[in-house]
Amino acid sequence: FYSVDVNQIQENMTWWLKILYANIYKNNTNYTWLKSIIDQNNPDLIMFVELADHHYANLKTFLSENYPYSNSTYWSKTYIWNMVFSKKKIENRADDFPQWAWRYWYFSVNYENKPIYFYLVHMSSPISKKYFDMRNNQIDYFFKDFFIHQESHRIKNDKVIALGDFNTSPWSVFYWNFAKWFEWEYINITRFLPIVFTWKSTALPILWSHIDHIFVNKFVKISNFSVVSISGSDHFWFLFDIK
């Protein structure tokens, strides 16, 4: 017989959390397809950006059957949201700021008594000089605030994931302005994959770009990463496991 350190065993255990991230597209009305993708993959956590009122009206009954926890923030005074649906309780929510003020939002979920922090981003699309400047200001604001939280995350060895629609491609100097801020401390997941053209123009479908990105700190491993094509959406979705 010999003694066993149960805490050490638990620390070394492999655990998984399945994530579905999706820019749903505000004009997407293919609700049947959306439900089928969720039903087939059964993720533990769904993160939507560009969710509209009509999406929520058509999906909320379906989602509430398996996802008892949800939280949202609004980017538009009319109907555009970011929203998370979770099988696990959502905590540490960014609820203490005026709606419409930020283009990102954070929360955590616990898995085996360990918090995983998510920063979900949806920057403005640079379709004009006004929105181009707006996007760049939003990126600056996000990273200034994001790194205010990092000291706390470092002290606690938190697992942290920043992901979403940055509306900036790796071929843009503005991409490297923010990507370099992650160097050393975070891994740029989509940079190390084959080119993932995550968005296509609905007006001119030959135009493609890579504008959705994932960054994780050293305590997070991404496995089983795949992109999902969704009928009615102008973005590919990300499906992956957190290990």
Side-chain angles (χ1 to χ4, degrees), residues 66-83:
N66 293 301
Y67 298 91
Y69 304 102
S70 64
N71 191 230
S72 64
T73 192
Y74 299 79
W75 300 147
S76 164
K77 295 183 179 181
T78 52
Y79 61 90
I80 304 301
W81 309 4
N82 277 8
M83 193 161 189

Side-chain angles (χ1 to χ4, degrees), residues 39-181:
D39 195 44
Q40 290 170 23
N41 292 285
N42 191 29
D44 299 294
L45 197 67
I46 303 169
M47 287 180 278
F48 284 133
V49 300
E50 208 167 304
L51 184 84
D53 285 347
H54 64 92
H55 296 131
Y56 186 61
N58 283 276
L59 295 173
K60 65 180 180 180
T61 300
F62 165 74
L63 288 168
S64 65
E65 294 174 356
N66 293 301
Y67 298 91
Y69 304 102
S70 64
N71 191 230
S72 64
T73 192
Y74 299 79
W75 300 147
S76 164
K77 295 183 179 181
T78 52
Y79 61 90
I80 304 301
W81 309 4
N82 277 8
M83 193 161 189
V84 57
F85 297 91
S86 177
K87 293 182 179 181
K88 301 179 182 299
K89 186 178 180 182
I90 299 169
E91 300 180 314
N92 298 306
R93 299 173 300 187
D95 291 337
D96 58 344
F97 62 92
Q99 295 290 312
W100 319 304
W102 297 353
R103 292 291 296 204
Y104 77 98
W105 145 71
Y106 58 82
F107 61 92
S108 74
V109 297
N110 280 349
Y111 195 83
E112 296 187 349
N113 297 317
K114 300 174 183 178
I116 307 171
Y117 287 84
F118 294 88
Y119 291 78
L120 184 60
V121 173
H122 187 200
M123 303 301 178
S124 295
S125 179
I127 57 175
S128 67
K129 179 63 167 61
K130 174 185 176 181
Y131 284 97
F132 175 81
D133 292 338
M134 188 182 297
R135 182 208 61 184
N136 297 335
N137 289 333
Q138 290 163 358
I139 289 174
D140 286 342
Y141 187 89
F142 164 63
F143 278 98
K144 287 175 183 176
D145 192 69
F146 177 78
F147 278 97
I148 289 174
H149 296 110
Q150 293 316 294
E151 185 60 31
S152 174
H153 291 320
R154 292 187 196 103
I155 292 170
K156 297 184 294 182
N157 290 333
D158 288 332
K159 300 170 178 64
V160 183
I161 302 171
L163 78 166
D165 180 359
F166 287 79
N167 264 309
T168 313
S169 80
W171 304 281
S172 165
V173 64
F174 296 95
Y175 170 85
W176 292 106
N177 284 346
F178 71 77
K180 68 182 180 182
W181 291 351

